[in-house]
Amino acid sequence: MTKWPVLARHAHAAAWLRAWEDLGRAPRTMDAYARGLAEYLELCEREGVNPLAAGRVHIAVFVRVLTTRPHRRGANVVSIESGAGLTNATIQQRLVPVRLFYDFLVEEGLRESNPVGRGRYTPGRRSTRHRGLVPRLSKLPWIPNEQQWRDFLEVARREPVRNRVLLAHAYDAALRREELCSLRTDDLDPAHRTVRVRAETTKNRLERVVPYSAPTGVLLADYLRHRTAISRARGPLFLSESRRNYGQPLSLWTWSQVVRVSRCRLVSSGSPRTPPAICA
């Protein structure tokens, strides 16, 4: 609530968020819910609209604001997009908490309907498809060509061994940022070249065991020898080497900074096309 004061001014919004928090939603999920709902409530206040009485027209205004507002990083956006507004996926993310909030109001008897439509498909002989409020775009993944891979590997080659192991595990095992940074020494099985991804670190709360390649195993062995100079204690696998947080678990923010700096180096190297990224 302290991060988004507007939520404290709306009792029903605060109660809805508190209910999700009591149900054990992850902190990052709660932050995404709070951000999306706060942006909507701020718009309602600017427009002089009571959120409890808002209709589809007011939701449409919210969508228009999301799709047309200037990007906060302006010309520093490295993307094929225009740099204005939010991406389709982010708009969908912003609409989810608003939709869930109105579901809550309907369940509590404070509204008769939800103004945020949801797409649905009814199978059968006369199947019907109802489009959501904002069409969901599904883009093909970006696949680098041979030269782009070489440029990428050249940038990665100059990174410290810890960062190379992080990159190798992210590629081999398709690990998300939180899964990667949350790995522990006892999650590794070097004999079988596998790593256990614990349920509490995954997005779907399902544990899995994933393999990694032989070259990644060589890098990992080098890093484990390097890690003993920082700490011999078992626990988080990847440790910070900065003077401020020396020996502490690597944070999500630190790994994001590593990726961001590497992307900027790739851009400055003159690679003809790089993945969408933001360079300061």
Side-chain angles (χ1 to χ4, degrees):
M1 298 297 176
T2 57
K3 189 175 181 180
W4 309 103
V6 66
L7 297 172
R9 297 196 293 270
H10 294 266
H12 296 298
W16 175 74
L17 282 170
R18 196 175 302 112
W20 281 113
E21 189 173 12
D22 292 340
L23 288 172
R25 287 298 184 271
R28 296 182 66 81
T29 299
M30 293 303 305
D31 185 67
Y33 282 0
R35 175 191 294 271
L37 187 57
E39 289 191 12
Y40 172 68
L41 294 177
E42 287 173 351
L43 175 68
C44 288
E45 290 186 351
R46 290 197 302 270
E47 298 291 327
V49 176
N50 180 1
L52 272 64
R56 182 66 66 91
V57 173
H58 305 104
I59 301 297
V61 172
F62 181 53
V63 172
R64 177 176 56 80
V65 170
L66 295 177
T67 55
T68 59
R69 70 185 186 189
H71 198 286
R72 63 189 181 91
R73 295 190 183 274
N76 289 328
V77 179
V78 181
S79 171
I80 61 174
E81 306 292 347
S82 65
L86 301 176
T87 64
N88 180 265
T90 305
I91 292 173
Q92 300 285 352
Q93 184 190 62
R94 294 288 194 275
L95 286 175
V96 166
V98 180
R99 182 186 299 117
L100 294 177
F101 173 61
Y102 279 113
D103 280 344
F104 168 76
L105 296 180
V106 172
E107 292 170 359
E108 294 296 312
L110 299 171
R111 281 186 63 101
E112 293 184 357
S113 62
N114 189 332
V116 188
R118 48 167 48 88
R120 61 185 184 276
Y121 174 74
T122 305
R125 292 184 59 187
R126 296 182 178 180
S127 60
T128 57
R129 185 183 299 275
H130 298 273
R131 197 178 79 168
L133 195 63
V134 177
R136 187 177 295 275
L137 304 181
S138 298
K139 298 182 179 180
L140 293 174
W142 176 77
I143 301 176
N145 59 33
E146 187 69 22
Q147 184 57 48
Q148 290 161 353
W149 267 120
R150 291 179 182 276
D151 293 340
F152 173 75
L153 293 175
E154 177 60 28
V155 170
R157 185 180 64 83
R158 299 195 294 268
E159 290 292 319
V161 63
R162 184 202 65 189
N163 295 347
R164 282 182 282 150
V165 174
L166 280 159
L167 176 63
H169 274 297
Y171 177 80
D172 281 354
L175 298 183
R176 296 171 56 250
R177 181 179 61 168
E178 187 168 354
E179 296 170 344
L180 187 63
C181 294
S182 299
L183 288 178
R184 299 176 60 85
T185 53
D186 52 358
D187 291 331
L188 300 173
D189 184 356
H192 297 92
R193 289 209 308 269
T194 60
V195 59
R196 178 172 66 102
V197 185
R198 288 168 285 114
E200 60 269 24
T201 68
T202 64
K203 192 171 184 178
N204 58 7
R205 295 298 183 259
L206 295 176
E207 185 172 300
R208 66 186 190 275
V209 175
V210 290
Y212 56 85
S213 64
T216 298
V218 175
L219 277 175
L220 178 61
D222 290 342
Y223 172 67
L224 290 176
R225 285 192 291 270
H226 172 75
R227 185 184 180 280
T228 58
I230 304 171
S231 173
R232 293 180 176 271
R234 298 180 65 85
L237 176 60
F238 298 110
L239 303 178
S240 172
E241 299 180 32
S242 69
R243 288 177 294 179
R244 184 173 57 181
N245 300 310
Y246 192 80
Q248 297 299 310
L250 188 71
S251 67
L252 303 181
W253 182 86
T254 301
W255 174 233
S256 295
Q257 284 294 101
V258 170
V259 173
R260 183 176 176 181
V261 170
S262 297
R263 282 172 167 173
C264 292
R265 288 174 180 168
L266 192 58
V267 172
S268 63
S269 69
S271 181
R273 172 114 192 278
T274 58
I278 297 175
C279 298

